[in-house]
Amino acid sequence: MLQRSSDSDLQALDESVGAAAGRWQQPTVDLREMARILRRRWKAVAAAPLSLIALALVYLIAVSTLYTATSTVLVDPRRANVVDTSQTVLSNFGTDDATIESQALLIQSVAILHRVVDKLKLTADPEFTPKPGLLDPVRRLFSSSGPAAGASPEDAARARSVEILQKRMKVTRQGTTFLVDISISSEEPRKAAAIANAIAESYFEEQVRAKYDATKIAASWLNGQIEGLKSRVVTSEQAVEDFRSTNNLAVAQGVTVNDQQITDLNNKLIAARAQTAEARAKYDQVQQLAKSGGDAGGINAAITSEMITKLRTQYADIAKNEADLSSKYGVRHPLVANVRAQLKDTQRLINEEIRRILDSTRHDYDVAKSREASLQQSLDQVQGVSSSSGSALVRLRELQREAEANRTLYESYLARYKETSAQESLEMPDSRVVTRASIPIRPSSPKNMLILGLTLMIGLGGGCIFAFLADYLDRRIKTLEQAEAVSGVPALAAVPLIGTRELAARAKRGRDELGRYNPRTMRLLPPALQPPLMRYAIDEPGTFFAEAIRAVRLAIQRTMRIQPLKVVLVTSALDNEGKTTLAANLALSLATLGIKTLLIDGDLRNPQLTRALSPHANAGLMEVAKGQVSLDRAILLDRSSGLSILPSPAVKDVDIITELMFSERIVEILDHLRQHYELIIIDSPPLVPLVDGRALAELSDRIILAMGWDQTPQEVVTHTVNLLSPVRDRILGTVLTRVDLSRLRFYDYYRSSAYLKPYGSAALKPGPAE
């Protein structure tokens, strides 16, 4: 139920459960507790997404709808070379990432956007003209006062249009490819496509312009260099010719005449020496044959001679004919003699031819020697001339090399100038459009579903975080465990909150009794006219409210059996925590058991109990203490329950109240009442703001501390217990008041209405109570 049992027969069970709990470690994250936090803080969880969604809807309604058109450009590193040149003045793009990223940034450059603004006349477009805003005065405080000195209004307008265009523009590279997307957002679909295509075209124009300017500059520079090189070539070649003429260094086919003569004579001398050696070899062979007496016909010249070969062939034929005739006619025959004469003549001719060859060999040798000597003499003479002009030739070659270098440089610059001039008239961009921007058919911004979805997710996340944070920072007492842990004393019960409808329905029952009530003769209100909440425990004994009062009553009865107990102080830390209702119902509950009970309104500064039960009382605790009236006359009796009530009418002079609480007269009054009543319940003032309650606490046997559920902060409870430290051992326990059982299930399910519903039927709807 709603009370906390502390019977001795359950002590062993509690100790075993505590030991088991000590061995079992509480998990770091309790998902069930997190779920309960979210459920009990559902308003905070729902407020964040609802607020954000409302702001998002306002934003979606206020923001302009934008359409995005995209033009895709290929930054192609391969260049179409129309003019047959070996190299362009402005080299083609590289293929590295830095180059492609640089081209993407170039597309966003101010120079290109200026072209687009001028081409499409965006300075006259309201969309690209700055609109006055509410925060403009604030922005001016943190910005320059105006355009720079010398800037015309047209330039300032164009700069502002470029700034707006940059915000509406997005240039992205597709992965690691050479494709670059140019996206433009505009309020008009056709305008977005036109601007995207215009930016691509301006980018190409900028490429062509840059190449043209570079080529033009290169051509102009080359032209200036060519003029200087041309004069240097003429000067160097003229110096070569002048030096050659001065030193008589004629040149034929690239070399001097003297060098050419030396080369020719040297070649002829070599050939002559070879011929002399050959003639000498033949002559030596002839001389050797002559000395040895050998046949001179065996020399090579004789053997190879055609004439000798023919004569020898003729000689052989005649010898054959002689042999034939001799065998036929005999050796003395005239024909044979004639043939023999022919044979001798042939032999003579052969010998003469051999002698002629021998003479020719000697003559050839002499001629070869003479020719060799002549060539050697000529070569010596020419070499002598070459040695005397050697230093001049060295200088001549130096001049020739210089002239050749100037000529080569001049020719290369001249060829480059012609190539550059050809390129100047034909320059092509290194990029091309892959996809022209088309007119978008759907808006790209704002993305309604995405914004709402993200807003909902962020709102739910923020709401959950806020709920956890609020629950963590919420230090108000919510459960009996918290009350017991904070105060350090037992938590006796949780008194539920009674709905206003239930109280209003019960209040209507006293209308008939109101006509019979006479305030002059009846100082105590009839039960029907008393506030329903003051008697709820005995009027509705089957409710959770009455059950909680009985739990407090049980704790008092248990203490009374163990030790003497006469005075019970019902108090609270702060005002309006339900202590008066608790005191009244507890006193009535005790009185119904037949216990002679006295209920004292000890809150002299704010006597709520007196106002509720006896608003017309003219004597009370103060008057008794002063001796103005007797206790018998001041005490009122509720005949329906047998409860005695000592009211406290309103005191005009509040200065003496505190002094009265610390006076011996109060002690005497309580001592007198202890002798006539079994139990005295005192409705005390709150402890924190007033010292009256602390004085009454020292005169009481037991103290019951009321705490407003979800109202009293834990720090206040700790401070209140510290205030009662002199009489801490007299604190019987704490009672949670005004507990909303329907919300309690989110904190303590087993004491909530969900768990206790089968055992009661009282109205448990939350609402304010007295």
Side-chain angles (χ1 to χ4, degrees):
M1 305 300 281
L2 297 180
Q3 71 271 23
R4 177 175 297 278
S5 176
S6 60
D7 294 336
S8 59
D9 57 348
L10 297 179
Q11 184 176 2
L13 179 60
D14 292 342
E15 292 179 355
S16 62
V17 172
R23 293 191 300 269
W24 178 75
Q25 297 295 329
Q26 182 74 14
T28 304
V29 178
D30 191 345
L31 297 180
R32 290 179 297 180
E33 180 61 23
M34 294 176 65
R36 285 195 291 267
I37 291 174
L38 295 178
R39 290 187 64 185
R40 62 177 174 251
R41 302 284 180 178
W42 67 270
K43 292 182 179 180
V45 175
L50 291 177
S51 300
L52 291 180
I53 289 177
L55 293 176
L57 291 175
V58 173
Y59 167 77
L60 293 176
I61 294 173
V63 73
S64 301
T65 302
L66 299 179
Y67 296 84
T68 300
T70 302
S71 176
T72 303
V73 174
L74 173 63
V75 181
D76 194 353
R78 301 169 300 173
R79 183 177 184 273
N81 197 358
V82 178
V83 181
D84 186 16
T85 59
S86 59
Q87 186 180 3
T88 59
V89 173
L90 195 61
S91 61
N92 299 334
F93 291 141
T95 58
D96 57 298
D97 293 341
T99 301
I100 307 302
E101 295 295 338
S102 299
Q103 293 303 311
L105 293 176
L106 177 61
I107 296 175
Q108 307 174 59
S109 64
V110 175
I112 292 179
L113 298 184
H114 276 170
R115 291 174 177 266
V116 176
V117 170
D118 295 339
K119 182 177 181 180
L120 300 180
K121 299 180 180 179
L122 296 182
T123 53
D125 192 332
E127 185 179 350
F128 292 91
T129 302
K131 301 178 179 63
L134 297 177
L135 299 180
D136 286 349
V138 179
R139 293 192 182 99
R140 293 192 190 99
L141 296 176
F142 299 95
S143 62
S144 57
S145 57
S152 63
E154 293 77 10
D155 294 338
R158 187 168 66 167
R160 288 191 290 267
S161 298
V162 168
E163 291 178 0
I164 297 175
L165 181 57
Q166 286 177 331
K167 296 177 182 178
R168 297 288 184 88
M169 179 181 180
K170 184 178 181 182
V171 179
T172 56
R173 180 185 180 187
Q174 295 185 9
T176 58
T177 65
F178 299 137
L179 296 176
V180 177
D181 292 335
I182 305 173
S183 301
I184 295 296
S185 298
S186 175
E187 297 176 2
E188 300 179 10
R190 189 178 300 276
K191 186 192 301 181
I195 295 175
N197 292 326
I199 291 176
E201 293 172 359
S202 298
Y203 168 58
F204 299 151
E205 293 173 0
E206 179 65 20
Q207 283 189 338
V208 173
R209 186 198 63 77
K211 287 193 171 187
Y212 175 79
D213 292 344
T215 304
K216 186 175 181 180
I217 293 172
S220 178
W221 182 82
L222 288 173
N223 189 26
Q225 294 295 318
I226 287 172
E227 294 297 329
L229 288 173
K230 182 178 180 181
S231 61
R232 288 172 59 186
V233 169
V234 172
T235 302
S236 59
E237 290 183 348
Q238 185 63 43
V240 171
E241 294 300 328
D242 293 344
F243 186 82
R244 184 182 292 120
S245 299
T246 303
N247 294 274
N248 195 20
L249 297 175
V251 176
Q253 297 181 355
V255 295
T256 61
V257 175
N258 193 22
D259 290 342
Q260 187 175 4
Q261 287 177 353
I262 291 174
T263 303
D264 292 344
L265 289 174
N266 194 28
N267 293 335
K268 290 180 180 180
L269 179 60
I270 293 172
R273 286 176 179 174
Q275 291 178 359
T276 302
E278 183 181 358
R280 181 181 180 85
K282 292 180 181 180
Y283 177 72
D284 290 343
Q285 184 182 15
V286 171
Q287 292 297 326
Q288 187 177 4
L289 286 176
K291 291 179 182 180
S292 63
D295 185 10
I299 64 176
N300 292 333
I303 293 173
T304 59
S305 175
E306 294 181 1
M307 180 61 71
I308 293 177
T309 301
K310 289 180 181 180
L311 290 175
R312 285 182 176 178
T313 302
Q314 183 178 353
Y315 181 84
D317 292 339
I318 293 174
K320 181 181 179 183
N321 190 20
E322 178 189 8
D324 290 340
L325 289 177
S326 294
S327 63
K328 183 177 180 181
Y329 296 108
V331 296
R332 296 186 182 279
H333 192 278
L335 292 175
V336 174
N338 188 23
V339 170
R340 286 179 178 173
Q342 292 179 358
L343 188 61
K344 290 180 179 179
D345 291 338
T346 302
Q347 184 63 45
R348 181 180 55 77
L349 291 174
I350 291 174
N351 292 335
E352 290 179 354
E353 184 63 26
I354 291 174
R355 282 193 300 273
R356 189 186 64 78
I357 290 175
L358 292 176
D359 293 340
S360 175
T361 300
R362 184 181 302 107
H363 182 266
D364 291 341
Y365 174 64
D366 293 338
V367 171
K369 284 180 63 178
S370 176
R371 185 170 179 270
E372 180 183 356
S374 176
L375 289 173
Q376 184 65 48
Q377 183 180 4
S378 299
L379 181 60
D380 293 341
Q381 292 177 356
V382 173
Q383 285 180 344
V385 174
S386 177
S387 299
S388 61
S389 60
S391 59
L393 288 174
V394 172
R395 177 59 181 165
L396 177 61
R397 292 190 183 96
E398 181 181 354
L399 294 174
Q400 287 177 337
R401 285 193 297 271
E402 183 179 356
E404 185 64 25
N406 291 334
R407 186 183 305 108
T408 303
L409 185 60
Y410 171 73
E411 290 174 352
S412 64
Y413 271 56
L414 183 61
R416 187 62 177 154
Y417 172 72
K418 292 181 178 179
E419 294 172 2
T420 304
S421 299
Q423 293 175 12
E424 188 176 351
S425 59
L426 180 59
E427 286 293 350
M428 300 180 64
D430 291 316
S431 304
R432 59 187 177 88
V433 174
V434 176
T435 304
R436 288 183 60 83
S438 58
I439 300 175
I441 58 176
R442 295 184 181 87
S444 59
S445 176
K447 299 183 182 300
N448 299 342
M449 298 306 298
L450 178 61
I451 292 175
L452 293 177
L454 290 176
T455 301
L456 179 61
M457 293 177 61
I458 295 173
L460 288 175
C464 292
I465 294 174
F466 179 76
F468 289 127
L469 182 62
D471 194 82
Y472 176 78
L473 297 177
D474 188 0
R475 306 295 294 172
R476 294 173 294 184
I477 301 297
K478 301 292 194 308
T479 64
L480 294 176
E481 285 80 1
Q482 288 181 351
E484 186 173 304
V486 173
S487 64
V489 296
L492 302 178
V495 180
L497 176 69
I498 306 301
T500 54
R501 292 184 180 180
E502 171 69 13
L503 296 177
R506 295 185 59 81
K508 292 179 181 179
R509 303 174 186 175
R511 291 179 179 177
D512 297 337
E513 190 69 24
L514 183 61
R516 296 191 294 270
Y517 171 66
N518 185 3
R520 296 179 180 179
T521 58
M522 301 177 63
R523 291 185 296 170
L524 185 67
L525 291 176
L529 295 181
Q530 294 178 9
L533 198 57
M534 291 295 181
R535 305 178 60 88
Y536 199 83
I538 61 174
D539 290 344
E540 298 291 342
T543 60
F544 300 149
F545 186 96
E547 189 71 16
I549 297 299
R550 286 193 289 268
V552 180
R553 184 186 69 186
L554 178 61
I556 295 175
Q557 291 176 316
R558 185 185 299 116
T559 305
M560 292 175 65
R561 298 190 194 106
I562 300 173
Q563 51 186 296
L565 176 60
K566 286 289 186 176
V567 179
V568 177
L569 182 72
V570 180
T571 185
S572 63
L574 303 172
D575 191 20
N576 197 29
E577 290 190 275
K579 61 179 179 60
T580 301
T581 301
L582 174 61
N585 283 275
L586 179 61
L588 285 171
S589 179
L590 290 168
T592 55
L593 293 179
I595 300 175
K596 190 176 182 180
T597 306
L598 173 65
L599 176 61
I600 300 176
D601 188 355
D603 192 354
L604 302 181
R605 300 173 186 268
N606 185 22
Q608 293 184 359
L609 180 64
T610 302
R611 296 192 191 101
L613 302 181
S614 180
H616 300 288
N618 52 12
L621 180 61
M622 177 65 72
E623 287 75 17
V624 172
K626 291 180 178 182
Q628 297 176 357
V629 295
S630 63
L631 277 173
D632 296 337
R633 184 174 178 275
I635 294 175
L636 306 178
L637 179 64
D638 183 11
R639 301 185 181 278
S640 63
S641 61
L643 175 66
S644 299
I645 302 172
L646 179 58
S648 294
V651 179
K652 298 180 180 180
D653 187 6
V654 298
D655 295 335
I656 63 174
I657 294 178
T658 302
E659 300 299 330
L660 176 64
M661 291 300 176
F662 287 93
S663 66
E664 292 295 328
R665 181 58 180 161
I666 294 295
V667 176
E668 294 174 359
I669 294 174
L670 289 178
D671 290 340
H672 178 75
L673 293 175
R674 287 174 187 268
Q675 298 175 5
H676 293 81
Y677 292 93
E678 297 180 50
L679 197 63
I680 300 172
I681 306 297
I682 301 177
D683 179 17
S684 166
L687 297 174
V688 174
L690 301 175
V691 74
D692 303 354
R694 305 174 209 172
L696 290 175
E698 296 185 359
L699 302 178
S700 304
D701 299 328
R702 287 291 182 269
I703 301 171
I704 296 176
L705 184 61
M707 301 178 185
W709 183 85
D710 195 20
Q711 176 181 350
T712 306
Q714 297 180 16
E715 295 80 2
V716 174
V717 175
T718 303
H719 179 62
T720 303
V721 174
N722 292 334
L723 293 176
L724 295 176
S725 57
V727 291
R728 183 183 178 88
D729 56 336
R730 301 182 190 178
I731 301 177
L732 182 63
T734 60
V735 177
L736 288 181
T737 61
R738 299 177 180 177
V739 178
D740 188 345
L741 296 182
S742 61
R743 292 174 55 198
L744 184 63
R745 68 178 183 271
F746 301 128
Y747 299 94
D748 191 351
Y749 180 80
Y750 299 105
R751 293 182 180 85
S752 66
S753 61
Y755 184 73
L756 302 175
K757 191 172 183 180
Y759 302 98
S761 58
L764 302 174
K765 295 182 181 179
E770 297 179 3

